[in-house]
Amino acid sequence: MSQAASSSTTGVVFSRQGNTRFSGYEDFCRQVTWQDTAQQLQLPRSNGVNKATLCIDEHPPEVMQRHALRWLATDGSREDYTFEDLKQLTNRFANVLTQLGVRPGDRVFVYLERIPELYVCLFGALKVQAVVGPLFSAFGPEAIQDRLADAGAVLVVTSPTLKPRLDAIADQLPALQHVVVVDRYQTWQPTHTENKRIQEHAYETLMNQASDVFTVPPTDPDTYSIMHYTSGTTGKPKGAVHRHLAVVAQAATTQHVLDIRPEQDVYWCTADPGWVTGTSYGMFGPWALGTTLVVYEGPFDADRWYQVIQDYQVTVWYTAPTAIRMLMKAGDARVKNYNLGSLRHLASVGEPLNPEAIHWGHQLFGKVFHDTWWQTETGAIHIANYPCLEVKPGSMGKPFPGVVAAVLDDTWNPLPAGEEGCLALRPEAPSIFRTYWQRDDLYQSRLKNGWYITGDRARVDEDGYFWFIGREDDVINTAGHLVGPFEVESALIEHPAVAEAGVIGKPDPERLEIIKAFVSLKVGYEPSEALKKEIQTFVRQRLAAHAYPREVEFIASLPKTRSGKIMRRLLKARELGLPEGDTSTLEE
Ligand code: PRX
């Protein structure tokens, strides 16, 4: 458990921390296989592989009595649920869905704040073999419409606060049949709309009437379990679909990357369940092992976060670089007000973890944040820093045992160490996505020469450590959330004053990137600060609180190719004062 930092040719290196069952990375790779984890999870079982039975129902009796979920509400109230409690609740919800006519393969979406019912509904839906789709509660009507329409969702679970956003676009969701409202604080009045196609139900009423006994049908491991929408450069977000078997990779990485020992650990994943980290590591991996999770409903707040760690004696903490930078900004003095001695292992995901953040964490908590790299599409951590590996701050670490990763040239062949290229993976982990929902063409286009092309640029050093360089596309990473420029541009041009819009990611010291919009106005509109604010609010409300342009610049016209495509690359080069590169396709 030494935390000594030593110097090396590549800079400061932190020696191995935590569980040192493996003598080093090579030993780790020799000893850990997907098959071992599958065996440890007692797979295959007579009823196949279902994430819900595996994560909730079929733990040994002593684990069934353990806390699965320790929930802290924004208002400070608390609720605890054992695995046994969740078994009964998810059984009830599975019966509710069955009664409402939900069939295997139907898409059921959960659009809720971070409350216990979110977990109950998601796992209840998995029990009936629906394909579940979590929706980030900060999404506005336009963002949820794109996703629900694309998925053909038949049922959405929501709350009184979020429901108006769904009501605003429900007419444009022909497949939608049921809206279930979780009315935790009894604020909901059912509205009797003309729209008979969509039935509205109170969650509490349905749950009270349902039995808490349910038999999960045998589930083929390849059955689709969950879909997460993710943004690309062009077009609207697409749904990356995963199967039930993904749980094997999620459990293996939870055990060997997050270093979880379920008998003793209390684990906190700060990601929202609307994103893949919040499901793969905020539910599936840890619960498959029988781990106690802490869930804090509220938004980021340095004091509340430290309080959560202190009060629940959190031992393993999985968070994101932007959150770490925000904690750094909140000041070191704050940390001293809390007893954070329970922390044993720290990890981070979603953006490059800058060495300063690692050094800060080491100074304040006496622990090193272990960077992990993966994507919505990979479903589980693929490259990481492990307890058995020295940490080179700034590196994403090395591939997980069983993962083959490489840096490729433009003809999809591996490059030698030190050279920069496309980060690619053999698409073999149990958690790798199976397709993009109804966009198999797009899925196929990401496979080249037997590799899955991640869309990131990277290099490998002489010691086999991977270093992130950047994205290959125009997708913006703001505070760990991927945002497609096309989505933001589509929302912008719906504003009556906007003629055209081009959106880029602008480097930002805290959020990695912020969204910047270049906007040309329609005849009759004059640029003004008031109009900027109005346009920002417009996008914020329609799309999402995290996806609005923090900067808006009015320009007379946008640089376009002769075929009329906005040249974002040029906008970015001009913004950053970089060379403009090839402009031969620029419109006269
Ligand atoms: O560009 C990489 C960045 O986030 C992308 C994946 O985003 P998403 O699908 O939303 O999933 C986020 C959580 C798994 C990657 O293609 N990214 C993720 N982790 C890292 C990272 N960039 C640098 N370092 C990381 N550790």
Side-chain angles (χ1 to χ4, degrees):
M1 274 264 216
S2 148
Q3 289 110 37
S6 66
S7 283
S8 82
T9 47
T10 47
V12 173
V13 171
F14 288 95
S15 55
R16 311 185 305 130
Q17 283 205 340
N19 185 346
T20 47
R21 175 152 79 89
F22 308 106
S23 63
Y25 180 68
E26 288 68 31
D27 184 39
F28 176 48
C29 290
R30 257 193 313 275
Q31 293 203 45
V32 172
T33 63
W34 303 127
Q35 288 78 0
D36 287 341
T37 307
Q39 249 171 27
Q40 199 184 321
L41 297 173
Q42 294 171 332
L43 296 177
R45 300 183 187 185
S46 56
N47 52 2
V49 182
N50 186 297
K51 281 180 169 169
T53 42
L54 218 106
C55 291
I56 295 183
D57 296 357
E58 294 183 354
H59 292 294
E62 68 280 8
V63 177
M64 293 306 287
Q65 300 313 318
R66 184 182 290 164
H67 285 141
L69 177 61
R70 308 204 67 189
W71 181 69
L72 176 65
T74 312
D75 68 7
S77 58
R78 291 159 191 248
E79 289 173 16
D80 289 336
Y81 298 81
T82 62
F83 284 96
E84 184 60 41
D85 294 335
L86 288 184
K87 177 175 179 175
Q88 292 176 19
L89 288 164
T90 53
N91 278 350
R92 279 183 196 270
F93 195 66
N95 282 318
V96 164
L97 291 176
T98 307
Q99 274 157 24
L100 294 179
V102 172
R103 315 277 315 142
D106 282 350
R107 273 76 61 212
V108 168
F109 274 65
V110 184
Y111 181 42
L112 285 173
E113 293 85 1
R114 226 174 304 178
I115 55 176
E117 290 82 352
L118 185 158
Y119 298 79
V120 171
C121 294
L122 198 146
F123 280 89
L126 290 174
K127 287 189 168 181
V128 301
Q129 296 178 357
V131 186
V132 294
L135 287 174
F136 188 33
S137 58
F139 279 146
E142 191 156 322
I144 61 169
Q145 182 191 330
D146 288 342
R147 289 158 175 81
L148 294 172
D150 183 73
V154 299
L155 186 144
V156 178
V157 187
T158 190
S159 70
T161 319
L162 300 176
K163 187 168 174 292
R165 303 185 203 167
L166 179 62
D167 291 342
I169 47 105
D171 278 353
Q172 285 147 71
L173 302 173
L176 187 63
Q177 294 168 23
H178 300 283
V179 174
V180 177
V181 182
V182 177
D183 191 17
R184 200 162 234 280
Y185 306 105
Q186 289 156 19
T187 54
W188 181 53
Q189 296 292 333
T191 45
H192 295 286
T193 58
E194 291 302 301
N195 191 344
K196 294 278 186 299
R197 177 172 59 84
I198 303 172
Q199 292 175 36
E200 296 186 353
H201 315 267
Y203 169 86
E204 291 73 14
T205 315
L206 296 176
M207 288 290 273
N208 285 339
Q209 291 162 356
S211 156
D212 61 10
V213 179
F214 181 84
T215 306
V216 177
T219 307
D220 186 284
D222 284 335
T223 306
Y224 290 167
S225 56
I226 191 162
M227 62 201 296
H228 284 281
Y229 276 81
T230 181
S231 299
T233 297
T234 52
K236 297 282 189 167
K238 57 242 183 257
V241 189
H242 295 277
R243 56 182 166 172
H244 280 267
L245 189 69
V247 69
V248 172
Q250 290 152 353
T253 46
T254 299
Q255 182 175 5
H256 297 297
V257 184
L258 302 180
D259 196 31
I260 281 186
R261 305 164 204 172
E263 325 71 54
Q264 63 197 62
D265 278 322
V266 177
Y267 163 69
W268 185 26
C269 168
T270 60
D272 191 275
W275 304 103
V276 74
T277 309
T279 60
S280 292
Y281 296 101
M283 303 177 189
F284 302 133
W287 276 351
L289 302 177
T291 315
T292 300
L293 291 181
V294 173
V295 172
Y296 169 52
E297 183 191 16
F300 175 86
D301 175 277
D303 282 304
R304 293 302 289 270
W305 276 35
Y306 292 139
Q307 190 89 46
V308 168
I309 295 170
Q310 173 179 280
D311 289 1
Y312 286 100
Q313 296 280 289
V314 171
T315 56
V316 179
W317 184 24
Y318 195 24
T319 188
T322 293
I324 302 170
R325 288 190 290 269
M326 283 158 78
L327 291 172
M328 287 168 75
K329 197 168 146 193
D332 298 359
R334 269 208 167 80
V335 183
K336 312 251 156 60
N337 296 334
Y338 301 89
N339 180 352
L340 308 178
S342 57
L343 288 173
R344 182 177 66 72
H345 194 74
L346 316 181
S348 157
V349 65
E351 322 151 46
L353 178 62
N354 46 316
E356 298 74 31
I358 299 189
H359 289 293
W360 176 81
H362 186 247
Q363 256 171 26
L364 269 283
F365 310 120
K367 305 282 165 202
V368 170
F369 278 103
H370 289 71
D371 191 14
T372 67
W373 178 95
W374 56 295
Q375 306 180 302
T376 302
E377 286 86 344
T378 69
I381 295 167
H382 268 51
I383 299 176
N385 291 281
Y386 311 96
C388 66
L389 186 69
E390 287 183 333
V391 172
K392 292 188 189 184
S395 162
M396 318 190 282
K398 297 190 183 190
F400 190 77
V403 167
V404 179
V407 172
L408 307 184
D409 63 16
D410 295 346
T411 57
W412 319 119
N413 288 306
L415 283 163
E419 289 196 32
E420 177 185 328
C422 322
L423 178 62
L425 307 163
R426 291 283 184 212
E428 285 159 7
S431 61
I432 197 93
F433 72 134
R434 305 293 280 168
T435 190
Y436 289 120
W437 186 255
Q438 292 186 331
R439 291 301 312 271
D440 204 54
D441 54 330
L442 208 58
Y443 168 69
Q444 296 298 340
S445 74
R446 301 284 294 266
L447 303 175
K448 307 274 183 203
N449 233 3
W451 295 99
Y452 158 65
I453 308 300
T454 66
D456 284 354
R457 291 189 75 71
R459 69 180 168 84
V460 193
D461 70 16
E462 298 289 342
D463 302 326
Y465 281 77
F466 282 69
W467 298 76
F468 178 82
I469 290 170
R471 300 272 315 178
E472 291 212 284
D473 54 19
D474 292 337
V475 172
I476 301 161
N477 188 332
T478 180
H481 299 312
L482 295 192
V483 177
F486 179 78
E487 251 189 299
V488 185
E489 289 160 2
S490 306
L492 280 162
I493 57 174
E494 303 227 351
H495 187 281
V498 176
E500 287 178 327
V503 164
I504 62 161
K506 179 176 171 180
D508 180 77
E510 189 171 293
R511 295 166 184 272
L512 186 65
E513 290 185 299
I514 55 160
I515 299 170
K516 169 150 190 178
F518 294 87
V519 165
S520 70
L521 294 175
K522 286 186 185 154
V523 179
Y525 290 92
E526 288 301 319
S528 71
E529 282 307 309
L531 184 56
K532 256 186 209 175
K533 289 232 154 44
E534 189 187 308
I535 291 173
Q536 286 172 320
T537 309
F538 180 82
V539 177
R540 204 184 155 94
Q541 283 173 354
R542 292 177 74 99
L543 199 57
H546 67 279
Y548 80 97
R550 282 174 188 262
E551 282 186 23
V552 174
E553 184 175 328
F554 294 117
I555 54 175
S557 69
L558 288 151
K560 287 195 277 309
T561 61
R562 288 196 198 100
S563 59
K565 269 169 103 182
I566 290 165
M567 293 180 79
R568 297 187 193 116
R569 179 178 55 78
L570 205 57
L571 287 171
K572 191 155 181 168
R574 287 177 184 169
E575 174 68 27
L576 304 181
L578 298 171
E580 294 194 357
D582 180 8
T583 51
S584 59
T585 56
L586 189 64
E587 187 187 46
E588 295 300 306

